[in-house]
Amino acid sequence: MALAAVVLASRWALADSPRPTGARLWTRGDLESLTATLERTGAPYTRVLKGQTYGVLILRRTASGDPELHVKLNDFFIVLGGEGEIKVDGSASGVKTVAPDEERGEKLVGGALYRVRRGDVLLVPANHWLQVLVAKGQVLQALIIKTR
């Protein structure tokens, strides 16, 4: 199922993008190495790939994040390990623009709560608030594919 989401997201992302000039494979070992680097540095994510209409991140969260809104980007969360919750929609307080077409908030009220664990795939459409929630002592690891 996760593989199908990656294929679909990739085709969707590439539909509006220039044709790739070459293929790139990230093996399980590559992804594990990126995740290990996040564990060592304590950073919550690292960018794997960035194109004009798509991007890929590796996420490793040990604590909840702030609410965020991506005006033009859809997020496909493919859970690689651990578990957590992702709140989608609702309304945010203390909203600030942090980059073009990207906002952060202080608190997200309302919305739907999705419990996710290894193997799950969650689509958060563009222009919907989201917040990654991780319980104390838990870790959530995911591949996030961003597409227009």
Side-chain angles (χ1 to χ4, degrees):
M1 184 164 155
L3 179 58
V6 171
V7 170
L8 290 173
S10 298
R11 285 185 181 166
W12 186 14
L14 295 175
D16 294 335
S17 300
R19 186 173 191 93
T21 57
R24 172 67 166 96
L25 171 68
W26 287 270
T27 65
R28 179 178 181 171
D30 294 331
L31 298 177
E32 288 171 352
S33 177
L34 288 166
T35 301
T37 298
L38 292 176
E39 186 174 1
R40 278 193 312 277
T41 64
Y45 70 90
T46 187
R47 184 176 316 276
V48 176
L49 182 66
K50 181 171 173 61
Q52 290 179 347
T53 59
Y54 60 90
V56 178
L57 304 174
I58 292 286
L59 175 79
R60 183 181 188 280
R61 281 217 171 263
T62 57
S64 297
D66 293 330
E68 53 189 84
L69 178 83
H70 306 119
V71 175
K72 295 181 180 177
L73 294 176
N74 305 289
D75 287 329
F76 286 87
F77 285 81
I78 301 166
V79 181
L80 301 174
E83 60 185 52
E85 298 176 325
I86 301 176
K87 188 184 275 194
V88 180
D89 286 328
S91 57
S93 62
V95 176
K96 295 181 182 175
T97 299
V98 296
D101 299 319
E102 188 168 347
E103 297 180 348
R104 293 276 191 277
E106 294 174 1
K107 185 175 182 182
L108 188 58
V109 177
L113 196 59
Y114 296 89
R115 298 182 70 74
V116 295
R117 63 183 66 79
R118 184 177 184 198
D120 291 345
V121 177
L122 174 67
L123 165 64
V124 179
N127 212 27
H128 288 265
W129 282 99
L130 73 90
Q131 183 175 18
V132 177
L133 305 168
V134 179
K136 185 176 176 113
Q138 295 293 317
V139 176
L140 177 64
Q141 298 173 6
L143 180 75
I144 303 173
I145 299 174
K146 297 178 166 292
T147 66
R148 279 202 182 178

